[in-house]
Amino acid sequence: MDKALKPIEFNGIELVGIKIELTKSQDENYFLIRNLWKKFNLELKNIKNRKSNNWEKFGITYRENGCIFYMTSIKMADNIIIPQNMITTKIKQGRYLRFIHTGNMYDIKKTIYDIYKKIVPNLQFEIESNRKEGLIHFERYDYRFKWNNPESLLEIYLPVNTYGNQ
C-alpha cells in the first residue's frame, strides 16, 4: 500500500437497496453477504424505471442501534420506483481513504483486515468509523469487478478526518 496515501473527496450519493444484520464471525458474514448480493441482483428487476446499463453498485457496512449491518445497493435515480422490501440511505459527502481489493472475493476479509489492522494504524488519520453509529466503510463495484476473477477490482472507502500535516 502506498505510504503517501491521501484522502480523496467523495461527493456523496443516495442509494437504494436491501440490508442484513451481520454476526461476529467473518466466515459467516462472507456467506451472509454473498447470499444478500445474490438476492439483491435478482431483486433489481423489480425496480421500475431503472436503467439496466448502470453497472455501478455499492456495499455499505454500518452501525445502527449497536448492531452492524451490510447493505447492497445502487444509485437512486429520480424516476425509479422502489420495491417495498428495499430501503434508501445516503453516503455523505466528505473525505475518504480509498483502497483497492484485487482478486477472489473470499479474500476480501484479508484485505479488510490489512486495512484496519496494518495500514490505518500507521497513518495520520482519524477514522470516522470508530464512532458508535453510522458508516464503517463502503465498497464500490463497477465494470472492473468480475466475480472471483484473479484480476477483479473493487474499491473500499473509509471515512476519515485528518490531522497533523495531512
Side-chain angles (χ1 to χ4, degrees):
M1 197 55 56
D2 184 7
K3 290 184 180 181
L5 188 63
K6 301 275 186 216
I8 61 166
E9 289 294 324
F10 184 79
N11 286 330
I13 190 169
E14 186 173 8
L15 303 165
V16 58
I18 54 179
K19 71 177 183 176
I20 191 167
E21 185 174 352
L22 298 180
T23 71
K24 294 183 190 244
S25 164
Q26 282 190 341
D27 286 329
E28 188 175 345
N29 289 339
Y30 169 79
F31 290 106
L32 287 171
I33 291 168
R34 187 178 74 177
N35 289 336
L36 185 65
W37 275 110
K38 286 179 184 178
K39 178 180 175 184
F40 178 70
N41 287 327
L42 289 173
E43 290 288 329
L44 284 177
K45 68 180 182 289
N46 295 325
I47 298 177
K48 305 291 187 228
N49 300 329
R50 179 178 98 78
K51 292 181 181 177
S52 61
N53 62 350
N54 182 358
W55 208 97
E56 189 175 40
K57 296 178 185 175
F58 295 84
I60 307 162
T61 304
Y62 63 97
R63 286 185 188 92
E64 183 178 88
N65 299 321
C67 298
I68 297 179
F69 292 90
Y70 185 87
M71 181 177 171
T72 54
S73 59
I74 59 169
K75 286 182 185 179
M76 184 69 164
D78 290 336
N79 57 348
I80 69 170
I81 300 168
I82 304 167
Q84 255 185 332
N85 65 329
M86 291 194 179
I87 59 172
T88 60
T89 193
K90 292 181 182 179
I91 296 174
K92 69 179 183 173
Q93 178 177 352
R95 297 170 67 84
Y96 293 80
L97 291 178
R98 179 176 52 198
F99 300 89
I100 304 292
H101 169 75
T102 304
N104 188 305
M105 281 306 294
Y106 189 77
D107 294 333
I108 194 169
K109 64 185 179 183
K110 181 184 180 325
T111 300
I112 298 286
Y113 176 88
D114 287 348
I115 289 169
Y116 283 99
K117 300 295 184 182
K118 295 180 179 179
I119 300 167
V120 170
N122 296 312
L123 299 174
Q124 296 293 313
F125 299 103
E126 177 184 16
I127 305 300
E128 286 190 18
S129 60
N130 290 336
R131 297 179 180 174
K132 292 184 180 186
E133 293 286 312
L135 180 68
I136 297 172
H137 65 261
F138 71 90
E139 302 144 17
R140 181 179 165 269
Y141 299 82
D142 62 17
Y143 68 93
R144 299 170 297 170
F145 177 74
K146 296 166 183 65
W147 181 256
N148 286 338
N149 182 314
E151 294 166 18
S152 178
L153 297 175
L154 68 94
E155 300 171 348
I156 301 168
Y157 291 79
L158 276 66
V160 295
N161 290 321
T162 58
Y163 58 92
N165 295 328
Q166 301 296 321

